[in-house]
Amino acid sequence: MDMLENQKVVMKDKHILLASKYLKHAKIVIYFFSASWAENTRDLVDKLKVLYEENRKRNTKMEIIYVSADSEEMHFQKDFSRQGPWAAIPFKNNTADILRWRYDITCLPQIVVVKKEDGSIISRRGKDELEKLGINVIVTWTEYIQT
């Protein structure tokens, strides 16, 4: 969890948590990089919601974190409110910029899947894999961790 050490996330109800608390039981972190102005995100968000629920049922120890590229808080809040029950990097937090740089995010939306323990990449093609495999992507991503 090197990238999020001592960092905070915000929940839907605007409650702030330490990322370490939010990710306490996770082994995989799914970074969802997007913004209110990104095109064609509705279907992707719907697939993430289904994945999130299936993850809960199977207890596969994955958590999603929304990383916004919005420049206005109103747009960030509106976009975040349309998403699932996962957390987000707070608005205008330099952690969002660092994550985009570290994972070389050049277009939106994108999904990067990493191991929580060290941030090593499981998949940089998370969006494509989710669109192609649906919830079966859980099998692909969890094969990289030991239970």
Side-chain angles (χ1 to χ4, degrees):
M1 194 177 80
D2 60 337
M3 288 301 300
L4 298 179
E5 193 69 38
N6 299 317
Q7 297 298 315
K8 295 177 181 172
V9 293
V10 62
M11 302 306 292
K12 285 281 203 231
D13 63 3
K14 300 184 181 173
H15 184 78
I16 304 288
L17 290 175
L18 280 173
S20 59
K21 184 174 181 180
Y22 176 69
L23 298 171
K24 183 178 181 178
H25 301 289
K27 292 190 178 207
I28 294 174
V29 179
I30 301 167
Y31 290 114
F32 175 42
F33 295 91
S34 193
S36 61
W37 45 265
E39 295 181 12
N40 303 319
T41 60
R42 179 174 285 151
D43 188 48
L44 184 59
V45 168
D46 289 345
K47 287 178 179 170
L48 277 171
K49 287 177 182 178
V50 171
L51 175 70
Y52 189 86
E53 290 306 314
E54 190 64 24
N55 167 56
R56 290 285 185 237
K57 288 178 194 172
R58 295 186 191 188
N59 192 27
T60 52
K61 300 186 183 333
M62 293 190 279
E63 286 294 347
I64 300 171
I65 297 179
Y66 173 61
V67 184
S68 176
D70 279 310
S71 58
E72 294 184 30
E73 187 169 12
M74 175 183 69
H75 294 141
F76 164 79
Q77 293 294 343
K78 185 176 181 181
D79 196 42
F80 184 42
S81 71
R82 292 185 236 191
Q83 297 186 25
W86 47 81
I89 299 296
F91 178 74
K92 283 293 187 187
N93 183 306
N94 68 342
T95 302
D97 295 331
I98 293 167
L99 288 166
R100 280 191 297 276
W101 177 82
R102 176 170 184 181
Y103 297 115
D104 195 28
I105 303 302
T106 58
C107 63
L108 298 174
Q110 286 298 321
I111 295 172
V112 176
V113 184
V114 302
K115 292 180 185 178
K116 180 186 102 173
E117 69 183 46
D118 62 3
S120 61
I121 296 172
I122 293 172
S123 177
R124 288 190 36 75
R125 297 181 24 237
K127 175 182 173 251
D128 295 336
E129 291 171 345
L130 178 60
E131 288 174 340
K132 181 180 177 183
L133 301 172
I135 61 170
N136 293 324
V137 78
I138 289 174
V139 174
T140 301
W141 294 344
T142 57
E143 72 183 28
Y144 291 93
I145 60 167
Q146 296 180 23
T147 52

